[in-house]
């Protein structure tokens, strides 16, 4: 059986270079002989949008809500290129090195930071080691 | 950004790495 990839793409993606991203993907899929399914995603929802039955292989393309929900779903997670252990600033700093913005970034626990000795007037920029809104809002 | 190239490369990769046993049967949607 001929395998053709189905692209499951979120509606209303930001334009790419002034063009509709989903339209560009749809045209590219047409040219590659692949199907494209548009899905409407409710921001910050924890539920998968309605998706018609599809055959493997398929891949998701969209923003954080769609990708993290798909990654949590036993049914859909195999088609998400997403590893929460890699999707965090400490990993960016490790992999990008000097190419990373603020390469001197350190990752440590609040307890470890409190145990360090710094002049009282020193200011720090502190952020969680995650970029997932779901992780910071629950 | 060459969208066509991305779609071709990703699709080709998935089509070459998806076991035949995984194709043909539709994945039914889940609504968790």
């Amino acid at each position: 059986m001929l395998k053709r990839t189905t692209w499951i793409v979120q509606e209303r993606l930001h334009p790419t270079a002034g063009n509709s991203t989903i339209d560009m993907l749809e045209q590219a899929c047409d040219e590659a002989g692949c199907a494209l399914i548009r899905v409407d995603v409710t921001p910050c929802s924890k539920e998968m949008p309605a998706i018609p039955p599809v055959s493997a292989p398929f891949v998701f393309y969209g923003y954080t809500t769609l990708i993290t929900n798909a990654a949590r779903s036993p049914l859909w997670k195999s088609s998400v290129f997403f590893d929460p252990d890699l999707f965090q600033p400490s990993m960016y700093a490790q992999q990008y090195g000097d190419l990373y913005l603020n390469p001197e970034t350190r990752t440590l626990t609040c307890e470890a930071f409190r145990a360090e000795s710094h002049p009282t007037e020193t200011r720090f920029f502190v952020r969680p080691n995650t970029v997932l809104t779901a992780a910071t809002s629950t | 950004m060459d969208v066509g190239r991305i779609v071709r490369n990703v699709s080709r990769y998935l089509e070459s790495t998806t076991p035949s046993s995984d194709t043909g049967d539709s994945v039914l949607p889940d609504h968790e």
Side-chain angles (χ1 to χ4, degrees):
Chain A
M1 174 179 289
L2 181 63
K3 291 181 283 187
R4 285 295 187 195
T5 301
T6 298
W7 286 67
I8 304 169
V9 182
Q10 179 172 350
E11 290 271 24
R12 291 186 285 283
L13 296 169
H14 287 306
T16 302
N19 297 311
S20 164
T21 298
I22 197 166
D23 288 345
M24 293 169 66
L25 282 167
E26 193 156 53
Q27 181 181 343
C29 283
D30 281 346
E31 292 170 359
C34 300
L36 183 145
I37 297 173
R38 294 172 178 245
V39 292
D40 203 7
V41 178
T42 303
C44 301
S45 168
K46 292 189 180 302
E47 295 184 2
M48 285 295 288
I51 300 172
V54 297
S55 298
F58 47 87
V59 62
F60 283 91
Y61 187 91
Y63 294 134
T64 303
T65 295
L66 175 65
I67 302 304
T68 52
N69 283 340
R72 277 194 292 262
S73 164
L75 203 55
W76 300 112
K77 68 179 180 183
S78 65
S79 295
V80 174
F81 292 88
F82 169 75
D83 182 342
D85 292 336
L86 302 178
F87 198 57
Q88 49 188 238
S90 60
M91 188 57 67
Y92 305 160
Q94 181 181 324
Q95 297 298 324
Y96 285 120
D98 289 341
L99 297 175
Y100 185 61
L101 182 65
N102 301 321
E104 67 278 12
T105 294
R106 291 190 302 140
T107 304
L108 66 170
T109 64
C110 292
E111 290 74 19
F113 181 70
R114 274 199 297 270
E116 293 183 348
S117 177
H118 298 284
T120 53
E121 68 274 12
T122 305
R123 295 185 175 201
F124 294 91
F125 176 77
V126 180
R127 59 156 300 159
N129 188 33
T130 177
V131 293
L132 298 176
T133 54
T136 56
S137 64
T138 56
Chain B
M1 181 169 67
D2 188 343
V3 176
R5 184 174 174 213
I6 293 170
V7 166
R8 284 193 305 275
N9 287 347
V10 171
S11 301
R12 193 176 304 141
Y13 170 77
L14 292 174
E15 289 156 12
S16 66
T17 56
T18 300
S20 296
S21 58
D22 287 353
T23 63
D25 295 330
S26 292
V27 172
L28 297 175
D30 60 343
H31 302 289
E32 299 160 356

